[in-house]
Amino acid sequence: MRSRLWVAAGAVVVGAALLTPPGASAATGAPPAPSVASLAASAPAGLIPDRPMPEEVARALSRIARASDGRVRLGVVGSSNEQRPIPLASVGTGDVRLLYLTQQHGDEPLGTPAAVRALWALGVPDSAWHRWLRSRVTLDIVVQVNPDGAVRNQRYNHDPSATGEYARPGVGYDINRFHNPLTPIEDNPVPEARAILRRWHATRPAIVVDYHMQGRYLQPDGRETTASVLWPTSTLAGEAAVTRSRQLTVRNADVLTVAAGANVTRYPGGDYEGIARNAYGILGSASLLVELSDLPPEQVDFQIRTAFTSMIATAQGAAGGGLWRTDPTRADAIPERGPSLPDATPQPHADAA
Ligand SMILES: [Zn+2]
């Protein structure tokens, strides 16, 4: 019952114009928004594999930079422990800064192709809406935070000397436990996390969204969960940042439900301040974790589309300001994630963002 109410509420808010928050056009003079489907279709087929290696990410980003006439700008935020570049792609020149992270866990790849497609969709077409959006936001995406983990299809970074909590001896560190803003950056043993923290401090983004993957779970109503979301739950996060994070979460849950057809639950995440979702909330950003379920191969495109939709809708909501007119208390109505799917392959880290 609760989840049915949730879907109905999302439908009312999002309505037929899937990406346009109510009142956005009147308030901002925004040109009519294209549909998610047309934006997704703007990226060429074969732009990026579903589980790309770092050199495939680099090739796709170079292609986008060329096709966009420089509107998508490429850089790096740093180097991995094995000295691979950690790619940064930026689009837009607006005052509202956004930071998206993909694939901190090397074996959770699908945010990466979604990010590549979103960069094309926002940076290459040059309609009035695109120009409006790019004039209002500056979006930074760290595409594939953990390239060393990606080439090994492993959760951790590559650091055989890793020791201590949140390390796997002989393998590496769990990058998503090393964003603790209370740790001096120079004492942080994880170069990938240091690079993200430094980028945060250099740009102070209003919004941070971190894309991961989870196992397979059921909704309270028995349908399969396809995505879970959560805001900062650390008690160190300030009230204003938590409120804005909850608005961001509600907006994402609405759009993913209605525009992407996702079954969304609340992720049962922990309070540790080293988790990016908590860390960037503590630092003052609106912060969101998006977990795509690890669905069978025939649903991989659907899952990439889900993350793509989140990326586009978040940028749109930030550009028009509709995001901040969302009711944050509706976050409490997002149903809790149900039990693990009985016949799903057990995942050793399924509960560990
Ligand atoms: Zn993860």
Side-chain angles (χ1 to χ4, degrees), residues 105 108 155 176 212-213 291 352-353:
H105 295 140
E108 301 174 13
R155 175 180 180 88
N176 197 28
H212 285 255
M213 293 179 67
E291 292 267 352

